[in-house]
Amino acid sequence: AQTVTQSQPEMSVQEAETVTLSCTYDTSESDYYLFWYKQPPSRQMILVIRQEAYKQQNATENRFSVNFQKAAKSFSLKISDSQLGDAAMYFCAYIKGRRGGSNYKLTFGKGTLLTVNP
Amino acid sequence: GAVVSQHPSWVICKSGTSVKIECRSLDFQATTMFWYRQFPKQSLMLMATSNEGSKATYEQGVEKDKFLINHASLTLSTLTVTSAHPEDSSFYICSAAFVSGNTIYFGEGSWLTVV
């Protein structure tokens, strides 16, 4: 079964600085997708960034980028120029690429609570 | 804008009654929808996977007779909490799998309070 591990329950960063959130996963699949979701106090789950396992190039979305190390099964999120609005719980998630079947589901890590200090 | 809509956002019901939560995919067809429950300061716990036109697949430990899931169309899945008790009070959130690229979008979530 696939597992996702976020080893940092809490992180803090100064406004305008850069922070990296860690995520490792375990799977026997070769085709899969990885995600970072942001959950602010409103509880809405917001997709931050998505990575396809077969793509070697790291995904980037404005100030958000990932460091995807497939062999090491690592998927860290880097937030540059941190803003107060970035403060939230961040979840790393995995889903296998092939749809259907009993284990087609989004598996989450336990989350990292990010605080942004002014 | 939102691509998955969940309703109601808040609901209070009396103990012993049933309550239904709807999850709709907007502008796309979702053959697979997921239902989660989230306890305070914890991650999302998958309750069941809902597939259009077939029975839902429940995770271990989730009572299928307690949490009825129906996925009658490609844009709508419903979760009915039957004979609700105070311990069912929680935040419930649904998500839908967008066909292209396996991107998963989430609804806004529903706060259920059973009194």
Side-chain angles (χ1 to χ4, degrees):
Chain A
Q2 52 266 28
T3 59
V4 177
T5 303
Q6 292 178 250
S7 60
Q8 306 153 317
E10 297 184 21
M11 291 282 285
S12 63
V13 63
Q14 288 297 124
E15 196 175 3
E17 297 295 310
T18 296
V19 65
T20 299
L21 307 184
S22 300
C23 173
T24 59
Y25 60 95
D26 189 24
T27 182
S28 58
E29 304 275 348
S30 58
D31 179 24
Y32 52 88
Y33 294 78
L34 296 164
F35 308 89
W36 278 97
Y37 285 94
K38 169 185 177 182
Q39 188 179 44
S42 68
R43 294 286 194 116
Q44 171 76 57
M45 292 289 284
I46 301 166
L47 177 63
V48 174
I49 203 164
R50 169 177 160 271
Q51 176 79 43
E52 298 157 35
Y54 63 86
K55 286 189 175 180
Q56 291 185 330
Q57 187 173 6
N58 290 325
T60 300
E61 287 289 343
N62 301 313
R63 297 183 295 107
F64 299 88
S65 62
V66 297
N67 183 3
F68 174 47
Q69 301 289 325
K70 191 171 183 178
K73 294 182 180 174
S74 170
F75 183 62
S76 60
L77 174 69
K78 186 173 80 172
I79 306 174
S80 304
D81 187 25
S82 297
Q83 300 175 1
L84 295 177
D86 295 333
M89 182 71 85
Y90 285 81
F91 292 102
C92 178
Y94 160 102
I95 194 165
K96 69 173 187 175
R98 188 164 170 269
R99 298 169 66 93
S102 60
N103 62 339
Y104 178 72
K105 54 190 174 184
L106 198 58
T107 301
F108 286 93
K110 291 189 174 182
T112 297
L113 181 62
L114 178 66
T115 303
V116 181
N117 301 310
Chain B
V3 294
V4 177
S5 176
Q6 191 170 338
H7 177 82
S9 300
W10 300 83
V11 59
I12 300 174
C13 71
K14 290 185 177 180
S15 187
T17 63
S18 296
V19 61
K20 181 185 288 187
I21 300 170
E22 294 187 347
C23 180
R24 293 181 185 272
S25 59
L26 308 176
D27 300 325
F28 74 98
Q29 294 181 337
T31 55
T32 303
M33 289 185 173
F34 305 93
W35 286 96
Y36 299 85
R37 181 173 180 176
Q38 188 178 30
F39 294 99
K41 298 185 179 181
Q42 293 189 22
S43 187
L44 280 72
M45 181 189 78
L46 180 65
M47 299 173 66
T49 301
S50 167
N51 295 296
E52 188 267 339
S54 64
K55 291 183 179 181
T57 302
Y58 289 82
E59 293 299 299
Q60 192 171 12
V62 178
E63 299 175 61
K64 57 183 68 175
D65 294 330
K66 172 82 173 170
F67 299 99
L68 299 179
I69 290 172
N70 183 278
H71 193 159
S73 78
L74 286 171
T75 59
L76 174 64
S77 178
T78 60
L79 166 68
T80 301
V81 182
T82 62
S83 187
H85 289 104
E87 57 264 32
D88 298 325
S89 299
S90 190
F91 183 70
Y92 294 88
I93 189 166
C94 72
S95 66
F98 188 53
V99 172
S100 176
N102 268 327
T103 299
I104 311 292
Y105 293 101
F106 284 82
E108 302 93 335
S110 300
W111 284 100
L112 169 64
T113 301
V114 184
V115 298

